Amino acid sequence: MNTFLFGIYPYIALSVLFLGSIARYDRDPFTWKTSSSQLLRTRHFAIASILFHVGVLVIFAGHVVGLLTPIWVFDMLHVSHGAKQILAIVAGGIAGVMATIGGGMLLYRRWTDQRIRLTSSFADIAILVLLLVQLLLGLGTVPVSWQHSDGHEMVKFMTWAQMIWTFQPGAADYVAGAALVFKLHIVLGLTIFLLTPFTRLVHIASGIFAPLRYLFLRPGYQIVRSRRNAPLPPRSDADVAKARLKAAKSVRAAE
């Protein structure tokens, strides 16, 4: 079971995350959204949303940098394993508390406000509950991590993550002896990755790839929503070229 959960399941979860997200964007691009409830009720939304999103972003960035940065980079920068461990505990603990408070407020708001509840799907509420459980598990790792303040326990998780990322065999062996709270935290995190393409969490990728798309794939264009009730009549390439030439001349005349 250890080999499956920490040696095979990560590849299943990451494959579904990657391929499922591409398939959803290709098949149902208009479902790729946050489905924000801010317009329905603004009370307590701003503070809850800021706490949750800032906390989650700090935690996510910390996990990516902390787990996937090669150990020799920290050694080259003379950052000891113990110092890195203390930084992870303090920064992660503060961000975890922020995200948990904000997430709890958002869940309470979504569950108790009738207007928001009616517009919420099962997946909307379930994924928020899973995120809160994951945050609580993460906070539960803090006292356990404090008992291993020398950082050597964290090195095992770094090695595991980097071996998974680089497709090396035997990665599961590095977490075999880890505390149960760490194992639950990892498995639930992978499960959230697995569920992401089927929930509103897909909008996370928009913050990363949307600027790149506009910068490199659609230079000089802005996507707008048309108010036309019918499509434009078909035009030949010659008509399009004439229209562009006319527009260019209009711009020059205006200058």
Side-chain angles (χ1 to χ4, degrees):
M1 182 59 71
N2 183 78
T3 301
F4 172 77
L5 290 177
F6 304 105
I8 300 174
Y9 187 51
Y11 294 111
I12 296 175
L14 293 174
S15 296
V16 173
L17 170 65
F18 181 71
L19 298 176
S21 298
I22 293 176
R24 177 170 176 179
Y25 189 82
D26 182 65
R27 291 173 57 87
D28 300 300
F30 295 106
T31 67
W32 190 290
K33 56 184 179 178
T34 61
S35 299
S36 176
S37 60
Q38 183 176 4
L39 293 177
L40 298 176
R41 192 86 66 195
T42 58
R43 182 187 303 174
H44 307 312
F45 178 81
I47 183 64
S49 180
I50 291 173
L51 284 173
F52 179 73
H53 285 89
V54 171
V56 167
L57 287 174
V58 170
I59 292 170
F60 183 77
H63 278 67
V64 171
V65 174
L67 291 175
L68 297 182
T69 301
I71 297 175
W72 61 265
V73 173
F74 291 105
D75 294 338
M76 182 182 65
L77 297 174
H78 302 288
V79 178
S80 66
H81 300 320
K84 177 181 176 296
Q85 177 85 338
I86 297 301
L87 176 62
I89 292 174
V90 175
I94 294 174
V97 171
M98 289 175 55
T100 302
I101 293 174
M105 293 173 65
L106 291 174
L107 179 61
Y108 176 80
R109 176 176 173 273
R110 186 169 291 277
W111 186 265
T112 59
D113 192 301
Q114 190 66 17
R115 294 182 66 192
I116 301 175
R117 180 75 180 276
L118 289 174
T119 61
S120 301
S121 66
F122 172 78
D124 293 337
I125 297 175
I127 198 64
L128 188 52
V129 171
L130 288 179
L131 287 172
L132 281 173
V133 174
Q134 177 72 340
L135 288 168
L136 291 174
L137 285 173
L139 291 175
T141 65
V142 171
V144 181
S145 298
W146 195 262
Q147 299 175 9
H148 305 280
S149 57
D150 57 1
H152 286 86
E153 190 73 9
M154 186 57 61
V155 172
K156 295 181 181 179
F157 295 112
M158 293 174 64
T159 305
W160 167 79
Q162 292 170 28
M163 290 181 70
I164 290 293
W165 191 253
T166 54
F167 302 99
Q168 298 182 43
D173 297 337
Y174 283 87
V175 295
L180 179 61
V181 66
F182 284 113
K183 293 183 176 181
L184 293 175
H185 188 57
I186 293 173
V187 171
L188 183 55
L190 293 171
T191 303
I192 291 174
F193 283 162
L194 182 81
L195 297 175
T196 292
F198 313 103
T199 66
R200 62 170 60 198
L201 290 184
V202 292
H203 78 273
I204 298 172
S206 299
I208 301 173
F209 297 109
L212 299 177
R213 184 186 181 201
Y214 280 97
L215 286 174
F216 300 108
L217 299 182
R218 294 180 179 271
Y221 290 90
Q222 179 181 3
I223 299 178
V224 296
R225 189 183 298 274
S226 175
R227 294 187 178 183
R228 297 189 184 93
N229 295 323
L232 289 172
R235 296 190 296 176
S236 66
D237 293 341
D239 293 335
V240 173
K242 289 179 181 179
R244 288 179 176 174
L245 182 60
K246 183 179 179 180
K249 288 180 179 179
S250 300
V251 171
R252 295 194 195 99
E255 293 176 349

